Amino acid sequence: MARPQTVDEYIDGFTGPGRELLEQLRALAHEAVPEASEAIKWGYPAWVHPSGTILFMVSGHAGHAGVAFTPSTREAFDAELAGFATGKGTVKLPYGQPVPGDVLRRMIAFRVREHEDDGVLWM
């Protein structure tokens, strides 16, 4: 199967809870950062600042969706992410559980600010 060329194609590759969660994350992204554009970067959906810098990415997996930020963004929210598996800049969101929309919105706002005010680029 060919790699998806659009976010629509990427999400269309999922069914059930995976698709539902990816659609929720996409809607949240549009709400939180409407000026960002969608793109496929390294095979995954990404939201890109008007300057061309990636703000964050999402990915779907067998039992969870991942959201990838810069490590500095993820670290700033360590205490609030205690109930989630995390990586260097990532957060795993298990299928079938509520999306932590409030913290994700604040993480997106933090990421936009760190890029615009501090010049933090993508990894």
Side-chain angles (χ1 to χ4, degrees):
M1 183 174 159
R3 291 186 99 175
Q5 299 300 305
T6 66
V7 175
D8 285 329
E9 288 177 12
Y10 185 88
I11 292 173
D12 284 346
F14 291 83
T15 59
R19 183 185 183 105
E20 291 172 23
L21 182 51
L22 290 170
E23 288 174 342
Q24 288 175 8
L25 292 172
R26 184 184 204 184
L28 187 145
H30 285 288
E31 172 193 320
V33 63
E35 66 275 12
S37 59
E38 291 182 338
I40 295 293
K41 301 287 186 180
W42 301 289
Y44 300 105
W47 279 262
V48 180
H49 188 275
S51 69
T53 296
I54 295 171
L55 296 172
F56 57 95
M57 298 172 63
V58 301
S59 56
H61 306 277
H64 73 279
V67 183
F69 292 98
T70 55
S72 52
T73 297
R74 205 271 308 140
E75 290 167 4
F77 292 86
D78 272 347
E80 295 177 73
L81 297 171
F84 296 92
T86 59
K88 182 176 178 181
T90 60
V91 180
K92 287 184 180 180
L93 304 174
Y95 296 146
Q97 293 186 13
V99 173
D102 181 57
V103 71
L104 289 176
R105 282 182 195 86
R106 288 186 287 114
M107 290 177 81
I108 292 168
F110 181 96
R111 174 66 186 118
V112 170
R113 185 208 51 77
E114 81 167 0
H115 172 63
E116 292 180 349
D117 296 348
D118 302 334
V120 177
L121 301 175
W122 186 247
M123 312 211 208

